[in-house]
Amino acid sequence: MAETSTTTTDTRLASAYDAVRALTETLASPLSAEDQTVQSMPDVSPTKWHRAHTTWFFETFVLEPHRPGYDVFDPGYGFLFNSYYEGVGPRHARAERGLVSRPGVAEVARYRQAVDGAMAALLAEPLDPAVAALVELGLHHEQQHQELLLMDAKHVLSRNPLHPAYVDWPVSPPGEVPPLRWLEHGGGVVAIGHDGDGFCFDNEQPRHEVLLTPFAIGERLVTCGEWRAFIDDGGYRRPELWLSEGWATVVQQNWEAPLYWERSDGEWHVFTLAGIRPVDPAEPVCHVSYLEADAYARWAGARLPTEQEWEAMAMAMATAPAATLGAVVGGAGGFLDPARPHPRPLGAVSPGAGRPGGAPASLLGEVWQWTSSSYAPYPGFGPAPGAVGEYNGKFMVNQYVLRGGSCATPPGHARTTYRNFFPASARWAFSGLRLARSA
Amino acid sequence: MAETSTTTTDTRLASAYDAVRALTETLASPLSAEDQTVQSMPDVSPTKWHRAHTTWFFETFVLEPHRPGYDVFDPGYGFLFNSYYEGVGPRHARAERGLVSRPGVAEVARYRQAVDGAMAALLAEPLDPAVAALVELGLHHEQQHQELLLMDAKHVLSRNPLHPAYVDWPVSPPGEVPPLRWLEHGGGVVAIGHDGDGFCFDNEQPRHEVLLTPFAIGERLVTCGEWRAFIDDGGYRRPELWLSEGWATVVQQNWEAPLYWERSDGEWHVFTLAGIRPVDPAEPVCHVSYLEADAYARWAGARLPTEQEWEAMAMAMATAPAATLGAVVGGAGGFLDPARPHPRPLGAVSPGAGRPGGAPASLLGEVWQWTSSSYAPYPGFGPAPGAVGEYNGKFMVNQYVLRGGSCATPPGHARTTYRNFFPASARWAFSGLRLARSA
Amino acid sequence: MAETSTTTTDTRLASAYDAVRALTETLASPLSAEDQTVQSMPDVSPTKWHRAHTTWFFETFVLEPHRPGYDVFDPGYGFLFNSYYEGVGPRHARAERGLVSRPGVAEVARYRQAVDGAMAALLAEPLDPAVAALVELGLHHEQQHQELLLMDAKHVLSRNPLHPAYVDWPVSPPGEVPPLRWLEHGGGVVAIGHDGDGFCFDNEQPRHEVLLTPFAIGERLVTCGEWRAFIDDGGYRRPELWLSEGWATVVQQNWEAPLYWERSDGEWHVFTLAGIRPVDPAEPVCHVSYLEADAYARWAGARLPTEQEWEAMAMAMATAPAATLGAVVGGAGGFLDPARPHPRPLGAVSPGAGRPGGAPASLLGEVWQWTSSSYAPYPGFGPAPGAVGEYNGKFMVNQYVLRGGSCATPPGHARTTYRNFFPASARWAFSGLRLARSA
Amino acid sequence: MAETSTTTTDTRLASAYDAVRALTETLASPLSAEDQTVQSMPDVSPTKWHRAHTTWFFETFVLEPHRPGYDVFDPGYGFLFNSYYEGVGPRHARAERGLVSRPGVAEVARYRQAVDGAMAALLAEPLDPAVAALVELGLHHEQQHQELLLMDAKHVLSRNPLHPAYVDWPVSPPGEVPPLRWLEHGGGVVAIGHDGDGFCFDNEQPRHEVLLTPFAIGERLVTCGEWRAFIDDGGYRRPELWLSEGWATVVQQNWEAPLYWERSDGEWHVFTLAGIRPVDPAEPVCHVSYLEADAYARWAGARLPTEQEWEAMAMAMATAPAATLGAVVGGAGGFLDPARPHPRPLGAVSPGAGRPGGAPASLLGEVWQWTSSSYAPYPGFGPAPGAVGEYNGKFMVNQYVLRGGSCATPPGHARTTYRNFFPASARWAFSGLRLARSA
């Protein structure tokens, strides 16, 4: 991560700290103590765990080593709220987070307040740049967990036969999806990766050159209407459209549609954070796995872009937003609006807003977009020393890269060089796709 | 179940209803919303599920059919809170009860109040004896769930690495365990089963005669101190002491001691509802499976009693308490004291109380006692018609009978003819043992 | 087991040894080296394993301790061919028997010959009665494995999509099944268990008295035609007919009919050791589990007999055959005919033979009959000392008793006191049922 | 695949056909009927299945469509011996191949002879180039199965507690492993993939350019001696050396060394196709997973090469052998010698042979070498039409590329552009590694 100088950072950091921490609490607030306790599958963590773990991160990596005299809030929390940092010590089994009823939400709130108090004191004083960098990392880390919190809460509520809502929002007016147009790229040698200006995760570096052959990328995301056509054309019944592992998964898991879709009364409905809604054909399709995205692309006579193609095209477009911690909440540009954490229908936004209808402002937003790239280190990549070096590098096997951020990504968190990743069969992220083809 | 006449029942029933329903809430009260949500294994149900399910029982079997104009509280609850009654309709998967965060504890409390209100109205009027019998069944059913609630809450809290307590109680003074004496029985033809006076479950009937050969039963329960000697003598390492399935389970599950025991700093400790405590050698051993009880008995040169032997001996002792719904809470006679739901050490009770030290008052109390009897219908058994007929009979395979009631059994619930049952490998019940031998 | 005197035993034993050992080879002979290697599920053992294990039994329990100077054939075989005798040392995992390709069938044949040679020498000399008893036990043990060999080979061949036959036999002419008549028994005190005359397993002793209430037992077995009616009446779709564990198994395993039945072209067919055949309605139903037998009986308005009822009735009938080791092969009385190891249709045998059509000669033969009795020790039961004491007693949990012997049981092996046992969900034995009811 | 002209192909093809088919039988010949039947894990196929499946390939893709009047040998074989071609119809479950005892080895031999006869007739006549290409594909396919046959047979024999040998060979004299030297590459734009001259699989095309930064590759393979040092340094006990999924696998599978290694009497031994042997420190390490190779490289301060780096370096070396079907058997160049299918120790071969000691002749041979590249399509890749198009492309997810061929790869089969692939946790291939580093 990029270093920051002492004097200018403090105020910005303190204010960013407040904004990020507050957003976590805002996102948790519609969830009851019971909601915040449940773990619906091993990949999911309870809401209160997310709230405590992000707090533990600041306590462990910032306060303990850099705040002399700091007393840990509870010595047992290190075991409970360490996610995966082997360098920090033993930890509770991930799949058993939902078995831990105590500390409860009230105690977790006290934990957050205590750490916030100590952090406020620390941020009020001049900071060593290395410590400031750890704080900044902790805030980006917490933003990642904000999205996970929503993904996980959605999965938890979806397993309830009563289909409860997290929040409510009005049904969108019917959108009009423009026909798919293609953005062309001439290929050649392009530089990929973060250039060191502003924050980035270690996996976005080093910036390096790659050689691309000419390609094109779809101007807009694949929609639910298009996905319905895929289903109607036997998409989930034709093995020739699928990777071998994809077809095996379809058969074994009885996949017939994206996660959260269900057919009732002859129509497709989808479980959203507002409860069950009819599928809106103008919405970007969401909650599909890499395996499904790959099959869809094959059916459509196209393919998924590589992450290098995606980034090269994104850079070629002028308006990609810069990362800004604690950016205004409200979902501008296809990112998180806590009052409506759901992909917006294409064509429903006024053309003047620079979104569908006119030329696309950027490739970012609404849903994470699967690329065909396996998650691998960039040439020359080396993780940071110490336990924070476990942040990214050790996951670089059997995962596929997604790009672009989603309607559950806090504004200011994603950027064109940002590399998200999930296993090929994962569906509970806000994941969709954009097509590509070779020129 | 035995019928009751209309006029005398009502007041008693109404008052029993209030007492039983109140005890459930008392037992749940130390548990937070989060505690009440967790399901730590498929056999365990969340506390709030128990509170709702017992309410659903009254709503479904009493109010709906017998209270004209009654409106169900929530139409979705039938699916969520039906435990196993196939005759009533489809139901939520048992292993997924811990995935349901809503309704939460506040809503469940409203559900209980609504049903209690309707029940109070029903109980204030003259009752058809068949309806009164259903109410009585519902109360005994709720008492069973009171014990399950404690068993399950104990298991949930035990999976928390912080070992939280449900309640606290003072450590008992050291007890003095008398040497084991044997109660002799001459065998012969004895009548087994409930004679129809007062409530019983259908599985306690019909009363019938069996032929017993002479036998003896231990005057007192097997203690933790004796169990420690079994462990020290290689009890969990010697296959010749075990049934084949027992030994396979020992190896596969790494059993080294009863459930909840763990060795730390060279001493055996045990997780209790008051947290971690040193093992008290004078306490009856608890949370052992049938497989372990059988191995222990073999090691001790004895065997487990059959349920017929146990009942014959219990009947031969004068002081067995009669079942009394809503009996005084306080743990007299080795039954539930909500302030100390744990087996009491032998010898710690004053001899005058008719418990160890003098002649035993009865075989009942402290821990359920495994018998060597597979759970099977008595000759001529037939389940009740309708869905309540599913109550007992359909579980009569691959289960073993336990007798006597425990420190988690509400006072007045158990009786000498009472047949509890669990699979041979189950350990989360308050289950111990009493030895027997052939004369 | 009963002891035998030295002088009269030897010749009979040597000749019985030859007959029993020869039958094993006869039964294996239609099976290729490949057939004899496969293990189709953990419960199944490869044919060549049965051939070697029964040989190891004689080598380990007779030759090694009682034949001075005997050299074991191969020191590695003890590990491979010990089935479950903990007292003899460590052993190969049961579920991995099908992974062991060597020794192959030729080597196993040499092993058998070597042990047979040493046994012949031993049997040619005067024998200590205790050794003779071990030989006799070994022969009855090998007879049990003869039936297992057929059960297992049938399961192996059934998993082959080409449905190969073990042997071929002509289709039976249509039988005429008589209506079900009931054999009445007045109950009272009856003696159960083996009386010590002739061989028996330890689990058949001690003989003891039980008190029975009056009952009736079906004069004939339940047939495939009756079972088809059960299926047609929704037998596998109505939870109210099933034990709870039974219904769970039906749902989980998709049971729709007995094992080996499959519907093709609208008709029920069944895989037999002669390949696929149409279901013959006059045949006794076979390959049903306890759970299915119990459900059928409930559907038929009856129940299964207890093992005490079964034995009491069997003793009340005059013609029960005595156990005779090495009895004439040929299937007389419903036992094994190697040329047709399959239940014979009722009514197809001439009435003069004392089988269906006239009064039944006995309750034995054709299919093992599930009883409602859990497999438990008789009062006063104690296993034999040493490793052979592991023969029976350690399996006395979670198993149900079957009585009567089957078309895969060697003639002379079964008797009225004989107790077979399998888990309630097992279906690969030649298991059927006979109804009972209380008088 | 590249097309071939009609007239010149036939003789070469017929002779190659004979040579390849004969080698399969040679490889199977030390295996008994029992050996050839066992499937020791789902990834493994029985030897007789390999022999039949490769035959089915010719029958299905060559004889049936291109030999008018050809009658299939057995209509049931299509179901049994189709491996994964969805386009050809339904097929037997892969994990159940070990349940099929029939057809046995004799019948499979007849099947091979019948197809070989029909193929000989076909190859004796002028061939359409498209058919010739299918025959050539079938031969390369059968060569792949020759290596699988050895991998699988080794795994089967390894599960036998008696550790039987496939063949025997003398222990190698001690080798002297030279210190690791590095081969440097200056990077830049290089062309990757097959250029269309001679046979290749579809996944080696299209040839395309990539941009590489300067790098170095180890001149020799990592040895068992080096791996022992890794073990001794806590390699399998230090999570910081491992990818997250790697460490989880180490813990879950109790990995402590490569597959087939076991410590006895304080020394490491290894199961080989000649039985148990002491680990030879001069041998290339074999049977390690990608996860282990990655951890080792991290421990060694290096990394794995990408497949592009590997191929660029291999091309930069002059002596890479051309693929020649049916090349002389004998293991020249580190490939299969049926009399010794095992990696040869480094330094044991005379320097004049162009192998270790002097400059390396090539990167190929002895063990497949894990690269850090996920198996993905080359830019512009499109599978062949029809069922043979399922050959490679549909496996391009969650697999990692290995390069170089092994001591179990038939001579003439591998080449510098050849892409083998296995899941990251697979260990039963003859897989090792060569280190790389960035310049």
Side-chain angles (χ1 to χ4, degrees), chain B residues 66-423:
Chain B
H66 301 296
R67 190 72 185 161
Y70 176 79
D71 274 342
V72 295
F73 184 78
D74 187 308
Y77 284 12
F79 183 78
L80 283 182
F81 299 126
N82 177 0
S83 53
Y84 57 67
Y85 297 87
E86 303 279 354
V88 176
R91 61 187 190 281
H92 192 231
R94 177 174 189 169
E96 300 185 359
R97 289 175 188 163
L99 303 184
V100 177
S101 57
R102 306 185 192 179
V105 295
E107 186 71 0
V108 167
R110 279 192 290 278
Y111 181 36
R112 289 184 68 91
Q113 288 156 11
V115 166
D116 285 350
M119 285 295 295
L122 176 135
L123 292 170
E125 296 173 13
L127 273 189
D128 182 296
V131 177
L134 282 167
V135 174
E136 192 168 24
L137 177 63
L139 293 175
H140 288 275
H141 169 259
E142 182 143 350
Q143 287 187 311
Q144 294 183 308
H145 279 275
Q146 289 164 352
E147 179 153 7
L148 288 167
L149 184 159
L150 286 171
M151 288 162 54
D152 291 357
K154 185 171 184 175
H155 193 265
V156 165
L157 295 176
S158 80
R159 298 304 309 274
N160 189 324
L162 306 182
H163 304 302
Y166 166 81
V167 290
D168 198 19
W169 61 77
V171 172
S172 304
E176 200 163 329
V177 179
L180 181 59
R181 286 183 300 190
W182 295 89
L183 305 168
E184 310 281 344
H185 192 289
V189 173
V190 297
I192 296 292
H194 200 263
D195 63 4
D197 193 14
F199 176 86
C200 74
F201 288 111
D202 56 0
N203 63 3
E204 301 168 56
Q205 290 185 319
R207 188 169 170 86
H208 62 286
E209 294 191 327
V210 298
L211 177 57
L212 300 178
T213 48
F215 64 95
I217 281 190
E219 194 185 56
R220 60 163 176 76
L221 298 164
V222 171
T223 65
C224 290
E226 290 169 319
W227 202 272
R228 225 168 43 189
F230 170 65
I231 295 173
D232 292 345
D233 195 37
Y236 286 89
R237 296 190 308 271
R238 292 165 52 188
E240 72 271 19
L241 297 173
W242 295 78
L243 290 164
S244 179
E245 182 168 325
W247 183 243
T249 308
V250 165
V251 170
Q252 194 188 0
Q253 309 278 337
N254 292 312
W255 283 356
E256 299 184 339
L259 180 64
Y260 300 137
W261 286 38
E262 59 180 54
R263 207 193 293 264
S264 56
D265 303 326
E267 295 294 328
W268 282 111
H269 289 73
V270 58
F271 177 76
T272 74
L273 282 165
I276 300 274
R277 295 278 170 98
V279 163
D280 181 344
E283 273 179 22
V285 72
C286 191
H287 298 297
V288 295
S289 62
Y290 174 83
L291 299 170
E292 287 162 292
D294 170 88
Y296 177 87
R298 190 168 293 112
W299 172 79
R303 60 171 174 83
L304 298 176
T306 66
E307 66 168 321
Q308 288 82 12
E309 290 172 338
W310 193 96
E311 185 170 329
M313 181 62 79
M315 284 187 301
M317 301 170 74
T319 57
T324 315
L325 264 175
V328 176
V329 168
F335 296 112
L336 172 65
D337 174 1
R340 196 189 181 289
H342 195 72
R344 268 146 298 200
L346 302 183
V349 184
S350 68
R355 298 229 293 129
S362 84
L363 298 186
L364 287 84
E366 302 306 355
V367 293
W368 288 98
Q369 300 156 47
W370 286 108
T371 73
S372 64
S373 298
S374 174
Y375 183 42
Y378 284 167
F381 169 78
V388 294
E390 300 184 45
Y391 202 97
N392 268 307
K394 73 180 185 182
F395 300 105
M396 291 177 173
V397 65
N398 289 340
Q399 313 253 8
Y400 284 79
V401 173
L402 303 99
R403 294 298 193 107
S406 82
C407 59
T409 308
H413 180 66
R415 58 197 153 266
T416 54
T417 58
Y418 196 104
R419 308 172 78 196
N420 199 355
F421 52 91
F422 281 102

Side-chain angles (χ1 to χ4, degrees), chain D residues 239-332:
Chain D
E240 72 272 18
L241 297 174
W242 294 79
L243 290 163
S244 180
E245 184 169 325
W247 183 244
T249 307
V250 165
V251 170
Q252 194 187 1
Q253 308 279 337
N254 293 312
W255 283 356
E256 299 184 338
L259 180 64
Y260 300 136
W261 286 38
E262 58 181 53
R263 207 193 294 263
S264 57
D265 303 326
E267 295 294 327
W268 283 110
H269 290 72
V270 58
F271 177 77
T272 73
L273 282 166
I276 301 274
R277 296 279 170 97
V279 163
D280 180 345
E283 272 179 22
V285 72
C286 191
H287 298 297
V288 296
S289 63
Y290 174 83
L291 299 169
E292 288 163 292
D294 170 88
Y296 176 89
R298 190 169 293 111
W299 173 79
R303 60 173 173 82
L304 298 177
T306 65
E307 65 168 324
Q308 289 82 13
E309 290 172 339
W310 193 98
E311 185 171 329
M313 180 62 78
M315 284 188 299
M317 301 170 74
T319 57
T324 315
L325 263 175
V328 176
V329 167

